[in-house]
Amino acid sequence: MEKTDIRKELENARKLSSEMRSGKRKPDIDTYWEVVCGDVLLAEENLKKMERQWEIAGLAREMIEYATILEGYDHMLNSIYNAVSRMLKALSGHPRLRVSLLRLQYLIVSRLASMTGHEINLCEHIEEDIRFYSRNIEAADEGRMEDIVPEGCLKTDPVEWTAGWEEVIDEADRKACEALKDVPRGMGFCHAYWIELGNVLERDYGISWQSPASMNPETMFD
């Protein structure tokens, strides 16, 4: 069986959807759904292959745009919820974009609860995540870097919560990966990548960044 070219299928769905939204074609929610699916599948493929990960944020933004349209159709809610959940797993390094995904997820879960007449405990967990990210974002925006709480057990540079970081990290990632395109993606590659990413951030964007290795000297990274 021939493997599906996700990127090609997504481009086709984008073209048709654009024509629909401009009035050149009759709206078709199946085509909009194809864009959402393509965004999620391509994000997951990039993450799995550890390549072109700078695309994932753009894919997430596009998915939100089309998922917001589809959210108005009751029979699409479960499918949209699953798509948003998968995109959240694929996305990293974009706290503000993550909050947008979480808010869409919360809206969908709330709509499902309203339709069924039952409370869904998941709403509370999503609200907790939104509060966590929002507190850190607010602290970063106000320059209170010491108040930023790490997302997991490993420490990260608080600069990663700033708007400036979120605006440039995808382009910086692309540049770093391009510079290392001939370096094998084997054990130890993360250290070469972090060094190059730090250089790009400092040189091109004036952002001083400490890598996970620098922030967690007691941890072994391979």
Side-chain angles (χ1 to χ4, degrees):
M1 181 181 296
E2 184 178 353
K3 184 178 179 180
T4 301
D5 187 331
I6 298 173
R7 191 176 298 275
K8 182 178 180 181
E9 292 296 326
L10 176 57
E11 287 299 331
N12 290 337
R14 282 171 173 165
K15 182 176 182 297
L16 291 175
S17 295
S18 177
E19 292 176 356
M20 291 172 189
R21 300 187 72 176
S22 66
K24 294 180 180 180
R25 285 178 177 268
K26 183 178 179 181
D28 176 7
I29 63 172
D30 288 338
T31 301
Y32 292 162
W33 174 240
E34 287 178 10
V35 175
V36 170
C37 290
D39 287 331
V40 173
L41 291 172
L42 188 56
E44 291 176 335
E45 182 178 83
N46 288 359
L47 183 63
K48 182 179 180 180
K49 292 182 176 180
M50 296 181 64
E51 62 181 30
R52 302 181 70 93
Q53 294 184 60
W54 61 83
E55 288 185 333
I56 294 178
L59 294 169
R61 293 186 186 96
E62 181 177 62
M63 192 211 72
I64 290 173
E65 180 183 356
Y66 284 93
T68 300
I69 296 173
L70 295 174
E71 178 271 323
Y73 298 87
D74 291 350
H75 71 283
M76 295 297 299
L77 289 176
N78 282 310
S79 297
I80 294 297
Y81 171 80
N82 289 330
V84 173
S85 299
R86 288 169 64 173
M87 186 61 82
L88 278 165
K89 292 179 180 179
L91 180 71
S92 63
H94 294 76
R96 290 159 185 76
L97 180 54
R98 194 170 192 83
V99 168
S100 295
L101 284 166
L102 286 167
R103 285 176 175 159
L104 176 57
Q105 188 181 48
Y106 181 82
L107 173 62
I108 294 167
V109 173
S110 298
R111 290 251 286 116
L112 287 169
S114 178
M115 287 171 55
T116 61
H118 299 292
E119 290 187 10
I120 300 178
N121 292 333
L122 188 57
C123 284
E124 296 179 7
H125 296 295
I126 298 172
E127 283 183 309
E128 184 177 341
D129 285 344
I130 292 173
R131 286 194 294 270
F132 170 79
Y133 284 101
S134 297
R135 283 195 298 266
N136 275 0
I137 289 170
E138 182 179 4
D141 289 346
E142 295 176 356
R144 296 183 287 105
M145 312 308 277
E146 68 281 1
D147 292 336
I148 293 175
V149 179
E151 186 173 357
C153 58
L154 293 177
K155 297 177 183 177
T156 58
D157 191 327
V159 75
E160 295 179 25
W161 290 89
T162 63
W165 167 279
E166 194 160 357
E167 289 167 0
V168 305
I169 186 56
D170 295 317
E171 183 65 13
D173 179 32
R174 184 192 66 77
K175 291 179 179 179
C177 289
E178 177 64 22
L180 298 172
K181 63 182 179 181
D182 296 324
V183 178
R185 262 53 168 177
M187 185 171 291
F189 174 78
C190 64
H191 296 284
Y193 168 74
W194 289 333
I195 291 172
E196 185 60 35
L197 180 61
N199 291 338
V200 171
L201 287 166
E202 181 73 42
R203 180 190 70 222
D204 295 352
Y205 308 102
I207 295 177
S208 179
W209 173 69
Q210 296 185 75
S211 71
S214 297
M215 295 294 296
N216 302 273
E218 72 289 350
T219 303
M220 296 289 291
F221 295 93
D222 59 8

